[in-house]
Every structure is written in structure tokens, then in C-alpha cells.
Amino acid sequence: LLGEEVAQYDGAYKISRGLWKKYGDKRVIDTPISEMGFTGIAVGAAMVWLRPVCEFMTFNFSMQAIDQVINSAAKTCYMSAGSIAVPIVFRGPNGASAGVAAQHSQCFAAWYGHCPGLKVVSPWSSEDAKGLLKASIRDDNPVVMLENELLYGVPFEMSEQAQSKDFVVPIGKAKIERQGTHVTLVSHSRPVGHCLEAAVVLAKEGVECEVINLRTIRPMDIETVEASVVKTNHLVTVEGGWPQFGVGAEICARIMEGSAFNYLDAPAVRVTGADVPMPYAKILEDNCIPQVKDIIFAVKKTLNI
């Protein structure tokens, strides 16, 4: 594990607490503030079959190292005709936090999901985070794990199965968090919680929402979304990222290109972050991020109620 403050400080968000004391300087490495440098070191280590976990203090800082992530990690297996694998995990907080303005609040799901050669996962619950991290480290391909800073302190119930040592969430498989019959809500990361809150409110008005937690952005489990749309005949996507070329745009395109399109009774609707750099002022920030009320409005618009 390498990155800024991951060792002696136990991680900027205490994610690596205790690991340095347990494993020492050679396995848990504090790096200088030089993303391109330590990401390059990690990619090189992966090429000789170590399994580095490279932490970005926020994925906004991965912009400093995107050449290493895309050109060095994602493309190498293909360009070497399969002879060089790059088993590496790039992880850290992604998307909007609170009160940190434009340079610390961007969602990179669409950016990294765009690139062949990468796998991209985006956990919501504790179960997702544990299972996807284990799956990512075991995978022989580069994996980008987009966590969420505002979820780090949120407790989730975990089943006995999820607490077992062998628990792994398969990459590329979405999870239906709530069954419903009237409309499909598809989301990832923190907005999954907003979708579930909206579903509770809408249920009181007789609208049953099916909530799908994507968990993986690439490869995307479009089959689960299609099966749900066939059942509900309506689709709303929800994400914290920008609208243009976003995750929701991709889901809508894939549904339109497939057989599930014939089952839609209304156009699919996207709920996204505002198409602006994130403002610093709290009231503006709140209006830039999808809220429960925005999801409820989109569902009612889709169902024409």
C-alpha cells in the first residue's frame, strides 16, 4: 500500500489504520506529494507481479497521474499481447465531499469508465466496500476503486456472510437493493442511499421503486438494469457526476440500443450533478448535488403523476 499519509498517520481518512504498525515500512509506504511519481512506482511494481494498492488522497489528485493510470496501466496488457499483466488497485475518495469547492469535488466514474483496460468499481455500503476491495486486489487487471468520503463515517448493517473472511463481491454484478414494480432507479455510490430514501417517500404515495446499486461502472451489468426495466417500464438514473457523457447517459444509450427499449412507457430520465464546477458556498453546493427531492420529482415526471 502506498500513497500520501497512509503509513504513520494511518491514512488521511484513517482507512489504513494499524497497517503500518502491523506490516512495517516495506509494505505500507508513505510517499511524497507526487502522484505521477508514486503511481508510476506502483504500476512498475505491478508489472513484476506485486499487487500494489495505490491510494489517492482524493481522485481529483489522480489527474496528476492519469498518464500512468491510462497509458501505463490500462493499455499494457493489450499492447503486450497479453504477456504483461498489471494487477494494481487505484483507490481513494471520489465525487463531491463537503465545502471543498471545485478542485476536490469531481466524480471520475465516467472518465475512468470510458477507458478499455480498466475495471471501475464504486461501492455504496460497507458490504460493497469490503467485497469489492477484496475482488479488486485479487483481479489481475488494473482496477479503479471510487470510494466516497462522506460515506466513510456512515455505519451499515452487515450480514454474517458479509463479515466472513472469504466474502467477495464479484466485479461486474449489480445488486437490487429494493424490489419494486413501477419505476427502476439506477445509481452508484452515495446517491444509492438517496434513491432508497426517495423510494420510502414514494411508497407512501403508492409508487414502488426498484432500486439498483450498480457497484461496478466497468464492466457494467446492463442485464440487471434491462430485466428491471422490462418489469417496471420506467427508468430513472441518478449520479453525482456531470450530465454530459455521464454514467446515466451510458445506461440510457444501452437501454435504447437493446430489447428493453420496447418495454419503456416513457423516456428515461437522468438525475445528475449540475453542469458547473462545484461552488464553495454550501447552499449552492447543495443545489449542485442530486437530493432526495430531485429524485422524487424525476420519478413523478416519468410516471406523469
Side-chain angles (χ1 to χ4, degrees), residues 197-224:
E197 286 177 46
V200 170
V201 174
L202 286 160
K204 292 172 184 168
E205 299 180 35
V207 176
E208 292 299 331
C209 302
E210 182 142 297
V211 179
I212 297 177
N213 172 11
L214 275 179
R215 299 204 290 200
T216 305
I217 306 301
R218 184 183 187 103
M220 188 178 281
D221 182 5
I222 207 68
E223 292 79 15
T224 296

mmCIF file of all heavy atoms in Angstrom, residues 197-224:
data_model
loop_
_atom_site.group_PDB
_atom_site.id
_atom_site.type_symbol
_atom_site.label_atom_id
_atom_site.label_comp_id
_atom_site.label_asym_id
_atom_site.label_seq_id
_atom_site.Cartn_x
_atom_site.Cartn_y
_atom_site.Cartn_z
ATOM 1 N N GLU A 197 -34.016 6.424 0.080
ATOM 2 C CA GLU A 197 -34.832 7.376 0.850
ATOM 3 C C GLU A 197 -36.024 7.848 0.016
ATOM 4 O O GLU A 197 -37.155 7.944 0.512
ATOM 5 C CB GLU A 197 -33.989 8.581 1.264
ATOM 6 C CG GLU A 197 -33.001 8.308 2.386
ATOM 7 C CD GLU A 197 -32.155 9.537 2.692
ATOM 8 O OE1 GLU A 197 -32.721 10.651 2.796
ATOM 9 O OE2 GLU A 197 -30.920 9.397 2.798
ATOM 10 N N ALA A 198 -35.767 8.161 -1.253
ATOM 11 C CA ALA A 198 -36.853 8.593 -2.148
ATOM 12 C C ALA A 198 -37.890 7.489 -2.313
ATOM 13 O O ALA A 198 -39.101 7.752 -2.346
ATOM 14 C CB ALA A 198 -36.278 8.999 -3.509
ATOM 15 N N ALA A 199 -37.420 6.242 -2.384
ATOM 16 C CA ALA A 199 -38.330 5.104 -2.558
ATOM 17 C C ALA A 199 -39.272 4.953 -1.362
ATOM 18 O O ALA A 199 -40.447 4.617 -1.525
ATOM 19 C CB ALA A 199 -37.522 3.818 -2.760
ATOM 20 N N VAL A 200 -38.759 5.226 -0.157
ATOM 21 C CA VAL A 200 -39.596 5.143 1.047
ATOM 22 C C VAL A 200 -40.697 6.204 0.994
ATOM 23 O O VAL A 200 -41.868 5.930 1.290
ATOM 24 C CB VAL A 200 -38.729 5.317 2.322
ATOM 25 C CG1 VAL A 200 -39.606 5.474 3.562
ATOM 26 C CG2 VAL A 200 -37.783 4.131 2.491
ATOM 27 N N VAL A 201 -40.320 7.428 0.594
ATOM 28 C CA VAL A 201 -41.306 8.516 0.497
ATOM 29 C C VAL A 201 -42.354 8.196 -0.571
ATOM 30 O O VAL A 201 -43.567 8.343 -0.350
ATOM 31 C CB VAL A 201 -40.595 9.860 0.155
ATOM 32 C CG1 VAL A 201 -41.624 10.961 -0.094
ATOM 33 C CG2 VAL A 201 -39.637 10.260 1.276
ATOM 34 N N LEU A 202 -41.893 7.734 -1.725
ATOM 35 C CA LEU A 202 -42.808 7.451 -2.837
ATOM 36 C C LEU A 202 -43.726 6.261 -2.534
ATOM 37 O O LEU A 202 -44.868 6.211 -3.005
ATOM 38 C CB LEU A 202 -42.008 7.187 -4.116
ATOM 39 C CG LEU A 202 -41.391 8.446 -4.737
ATOM 40 C CD1 LEU A 202 -40.245 8.092 -5.673
ATOM 41 C CD2 LEU A 202 -42.454 9.248 -5.492
ATOM 42 N N ALA A 203 -43.240 5.314 -1.734
ATOM 43 C CA ALA A 203 -44.062 4.146 -1.383
ATOM 44 C C ALA A 203 -45.319 4.572 -0.631
ATOM 45 O O ALA A 203 -46.387 3.954 -0.764
ATOM 46 C CB ALA A 203 -43.252 3.161 -0.551
ATOM 47 N N LYS A 204 -45.198 5.650 0.148
ATOM 48 C CA LYS A 204 -46.359 6.164 0.891
ATOM 49 C C LYS A 204 -47.418 6.735 -0.053
ATOM 50 O O LYS A 204 -48.568 6.903 0.321
ATOM 51 C CB LYS A 204 -45.912 7.239 1.882
ATOM 52 C CG LYS A 204 -45.070 6.677 3.027
ATOM 53 C CD LYS A 204 -44.493 7.795 3.880
ATOM 54 C CE LYS A 204 -43.579 7.205 4.963
ATOM 55 N NZ LYS A 204 -42.773 8.223 5.632
ATOM 56 N N GLU A 205 -46.976 7.052 -1.289
ATOM 57 C CA GLU A 205 -47.920 7.580 -2.289
ATOM 58 C C GLU A 205 -48.305 6.490 -3.294
ATOM 59 O O GLU A 205 -48.874 6.769 -4.352
ATOM 60 C CB GLU A 205 -47.279 8.774 -3.011
ATOM 61 C CG GLU A 205 -46.934 9.919 -2.076
ATOM 62 C CD GLU A 205 -46.302 11.097 -2.806
ATOM 63 O OE1 GLU A 205 -46.696 11.360 -3.970
ATOM 64 O OE2 GLU A 205 -45.415 11.749 -2.225
ATOM 65 N N GLY A 206 -47.962 5.261 -2.975
ATOM 66 C CA GLY A 206 -48.364 4.141 -3.825
ATOM 67 C C GLY A 206 -47.437 3.843 -4.981
ATOM 68 O O GLY A 206 -47.773 3.050 -5.863
ATOM 69 N N VAL A 207 -46.256 4.469 -4.995
ATOM 70 C CA VAL A 207 -45.290 4.218 -6.084
ATOM 71 C C VAL A 207 -44.171 3.320 -5.557
ATOM 72 O O VAL A 207 -43.466 3.688 -4.610
ATOM 73 C CB VAL A 207 -44.689 5.542 -6.612
ATOM 74 C CG1 VAL A 207 -43.624 5.257 -7.662
ATOM 75 C CG2 VAL A 207 -45.780 6.432 -7.176
ATOM 76 N N GLU A 208 -44.024 2.148 -6.148
ATOM 77 C CA GLU A 208 -42.998 1.195 -5.707
ATOM 78 C C GLU A 208 -41.786 1.281 -6.643
ATOM 79 O O GLU A 208 -41.868 0.929 -7.817
ATOM 80 C CB GLU A 208 -43.566 -0.228 -5.692
ATOM 81 C CG GLU A 208 -44.627 -0.459 -4.620
ATOM 82 C CD GLU A 208 -44.082 -0.249 -3.200
ATOM 83 O OE1 GLU A 208 -42.869 -0.475 -2.976
ATOM 84 O OE2 GLU A 208 -44.872 0.138 -2.324
ATOM 85 N N CYS A 209 -40.672 1.751 -6.095
ATOM 86 C CA CYS A 209 -39.431 1.911 -6.878
ATOM 87 C C CYS A 209 -38.537 0.689 -6.716
ATOM 88 O O CYS A 209 -38.342 0.195 -5.601
ATOM 89 C CB CYS A 209 -38.648 3.137 -6.405
ATOM 90 S SG CYS A 209 -39.562 4.677 -6.490
ATOM 91 N N GLU A 210 -37.983 0.220 -7.822
ATOM 92 C CA GLU A 210 -36.934 -0.802 -7.756
ATOM 93 C C GLU A 210 -35.593 -0.068 -7.792
ATOM 94 O O GLU A 210 -35.317 0.675 -8.736
ATOM 95 C CB GLU A 210 -37.045 -1.767 -8.940
ATOM 96 C CG GLU A 210 -36.009 -2.880 -8.890
ATOM 97 C CD GLU A 210 -36.562 -4.212 -9.354
ATOM 98 O OE1 GLU A 210 -37.498 -4.736 -8.704
ATOM 99 O OE2 GLU A 210 -36.078 -4.727 -10.375
ATOM 100 N N VAL A 211 -34.769 -0.251 -6.757
ATOM 101 C CA VAL A 211 -33.500 0.480 -6.645
ATOM 102 C C VAL A 211 -32.341 -0.460 -6.944
ATOM 103 O O VAL A 211 -32.164 -1.479 -6.268
ATOM 104 C CB VAL A 211 -33.332 1.096 -5.240
ATOM 105 C CG1 VAL A 211 -31.990 1.822 -5.141
ATOM 106 C CG2 VAL A 211 -34.482 2.055 -4.929
ATOM 107 N N ILE A 212 -31.564 -0.110 -7.975
ATOM 108 C CA ILE A 212 -30.408 -0.917 -8.370
ATOM 109 C C ILE A 212 -29.129 -0.178 -8.012
ATOM 110 O O ILE A 212 -28.920 0.969 -8.402
ATOM 111 C CB ILE A 212 -30.432 -1.233 -9.886
ATOM 112 C CG1 ILE A 212 -31.653 -2.080 -10.229
ATOM 113 C CG2 ILE A 212 -29.148 -1.951 -10.312
ATOM 114 C CD1 ILE A 212 -31.810 -2.376 -11.715
ATOM 115 N N ASN A 213 -28.278 -0.846 -7.250
ATOM 116 C CA ASN A 213 -26.947 -0.356 -6.887
ATOM 117 C C ASN A 213 -25.965 -0.960 -7.893
ATOM 118 O O ASN A 213 -25.688 -2.162 -7.852
ATOM 119 C CB ASN A 213 -26.645 -0.803 -5.447
ATOM 120 C CG ASN A 213 -25.215 -0.513 -5.017
ATOM 121 O OD1 ASN A 213 -24.472 0.196 -5.697
ATOM 122 N ND2 ASN A 213 -24.829 -1.081 -3.892
ATOM 123 N N LEU A 214 -25.453 -0.136 -8.803
ATOM 124 C CA LEU A 214 -24.590 -0.657 -9.884
ATOM 125 C C LEU A 214 -23.352 -1.385 -9.356
ATOM 126 O O LEU A 214 -22.947 -2.410 -9.884
ATOM 127 C CB LEU A 214 -24.127 0.493 -10.796
ATOM 128 C CG LEU A 214 -25.042 0.930 -11.930
ATOM 129 C CD1 LEU A 214 -24.400 2.080 -12.683
ATOM 130 C CD2 LEU A 214 -25.371 -0.208 -12.880
ATOM 131 N N ARG A 215 -22.730 -0.821 -8.344
ATOM 132 C CA ARG A 215 -21.493 -1.354 -7.738
ATOM 133 C C ARG A 215 -20.289 -1.340 -8.693
ATOM 134 O O ARG A 215 -19.185 -1.006 -8.298
ATOM 135 C CB ARG A 215 -21.686 -2.767 -7.168
ATOM 136 C CG ARG A 215 -22.720 -2.810 -6.070
ATOM 137 C CD ARG A 215 -22.547 -3.969 -5.122
ATOM 138 N NE ARG A 215 -22.842 -5.244 -5.715
ATOM 139 C CZ ARG A 215 -23.130 -6.340 -5.015
ATOM 140 N NH1 ARG A 215 -23.156 -6.294 -3.696
ATOM 141 N NH2 ARG A 215 -23.392 -7.471 -5.615
ATOM 142 N N THR A 216 -20.495 -1.736 -9.946
ATOM 143 C CA THR A 216 -19.406 -1.696 -10.931
ATOM 144 C C THR A 216 -19.804 -0.788 -12.090
ATOM 145 O O THR A 216 -20.895 -0.916 -12.638
ATOM 146 C CB THR A 216 -19.090 -3.101 -11.474
ATOM 147 O OG1 THR A 216 -18.812 -3.979 -10.385
ATOM 148 C CG2 THR A 216 -17.888 -3.075 -12.397
ATOM 149 N N ILE A 217 -18.916 0.127 -12.452
ATOM 150 C CA ILE A 217 -19.160 1.028 -13.587
ATOM 151 C C ILE A 217 -18.672 0.376 -14.884
ATOM 152 O O ILE A 217 -19.288 0.503 -15.931
ATOM 153 C CB ILE A 217 -18.437 2.378 -13.367
ATOM 154 C CG1 ILE A 217 -18.820 2.995 -12.006
ATOM 155 C CG2 ILE A 217 -18.737 3.353 -14.502
ATOM 156 C CD1 ILE A 217 -20.279 3.267 -11.811
ATOM 157 N N ARG A 218 -17.527 -0.300 -14.794
ATOM 158 C CA ARG A 218 -16.993 -1.025 -15.953
ATOM 159 C C ARG A 218 -16.389 -2.330 -15.478
ATOM 160 O O ARG A 218 -15.516 -2.288 -14.602
ATOM 161 C CB ARG A 218 -15.929 -0.167 -16.664
ATOM 162 C CG ARG A 218 -15.395 -0.812 -17.938
ATOM 163 C CD ARG A 218 -14.291 0.028 -18.571
ATOM 164 N NE ARG A 218 -13.942 -0.540 -19.847
ATOM 165 C CZ ARG A 218 -14.317 -0.068 -21.031
ATOM 166 N NH1 ARG A 218 -15.015 1.030 -21.102
ATOM 167 N NH2 ARG A 218 -13.967 -0.659 -22.144
ATOM 168 N N PRO A 219 -16.802 -3.502 -15.958
ATOM 169 C CA PRO A 219 -17.869 -3.717 -16.933
ATOM 170 C C PRO A 219 -19.248 -3.523 -16.298
ATOM 171 O O PRO A 219 -19.457 -3.930 -15.160
ATOM 172 C CB PRO A 219 -17.665 -5.180 -17.335
ATOM 173 C CG PRO A 219 -17.014 -5.815 -16.142
ATOM 174 C CD PRO A 219 -16.152 -4.761 -15.527
ATOM 175 N N MET A 220 -20.147 -2.868 -17.015
ATOM 176 C CA MET A 220 -21.459 -2.514 -16.477
ATOM 177 C C MET A 220 -22.441 -3.676 -16.615
ATOM 178 O O MET A 220 -22.523 -4.302 -17.668
ATOM 179 C CB MET A 220 -21.991 -1.283 -17.219
ATOM 180 C CG MET A 220 -23.247 -0.706 -16.614
ATOM 181 S SD MET A 220 -23.778 0.774 -17.503
ATOM 182 C CE MET A 220 -22.673 1.997 -16.827
ATOM 183 N N ASP A 221 -23.160 -3.941 -15.531
ATOM 184 C CA ASP A 221 -24.156 -5.026 -15.526
ATOM 185 C C ASP A 221 -25.468 -4.509 -16.112
ATOM 186 O O ASP A 221 -26.433 -4.264 -15.396
ATOM 187 C CB ASP A 221 -24.339 -5.524 -14.086
ATOM 188 C CG ASP A 221 -25.325 -6.680 -13.996
ATOM 189 O OD1 ASP A 221 -25.788 -7.158 -15.048
ATOM 190 O OD2 ASP A 221 -25.651 -7.085 -12.862
ATOM 191 N N ILE A 222 -25.490 -4.353 -17.419
ATOM 192 C CA ILE A 222 -26.684 -3.795 -18.058
ATOM 193 C C ILE A 222 -27.831 -4.808 -18.069
ATOM 194 O O ILE A 222 -29.012 -4.435 -18.132
ATOM 195 C CB ILE A 222 -26.353 -3.287 -19.496
ATOM 196 C CG1 ILE A 222 -27.318 -2.162 -19.903
ATOM 197 C CG2 ILE A 222 -26.320 -4.419 -20.500
ATOM 198 C CD1 ILE A 222 -27.158 -0.874 -19.132
ATOM 199 N N GLU A 223 -27.507 -6.115 -17.950
ATOM 200 C CA GLU A 223 -28.553 -7.149 -17.967
ATOM 201 C C GLU A 223 -29.512 -6.979 -16.790
ATOM 202 O O GLU A 223 -30.730 -7.118 -16.948
ATOM 203 C CB GLU A 223 -27.928 -8.562 -17.924
ATOM 204 C CG GLU A 223 -27.161 -8.964 -19.157
ATOM 205 C CD GLU A 223 -25.767 -8.365 -19.223
ATOM 206 O OE1 GLU A 223 -25.266 -7.862 -18.180
ATOM 207 O OE2 GLU A 223 -25.172 -8.386 -20.327
ATOM 208 N N THR A 224 -28.973 -6.667 -15.605
ATOM 209 C CA THR A 224 -29.829 -6.468 -14.427
ATOM 210 C C THR A 224 -30.735 -5.256 -14.625
ATOM 211 O O THR A 224 -31.917 -5.281 -14.263
ATOM 212 C CB THR A 224 -28.957 -6.289 -13.159
ATOM 213 O OG1 THR A 224 -28.241 -7.503 -12.927
ATOM 214 C CG2 THR A 224 -29.790 -5.962 -11.933
#
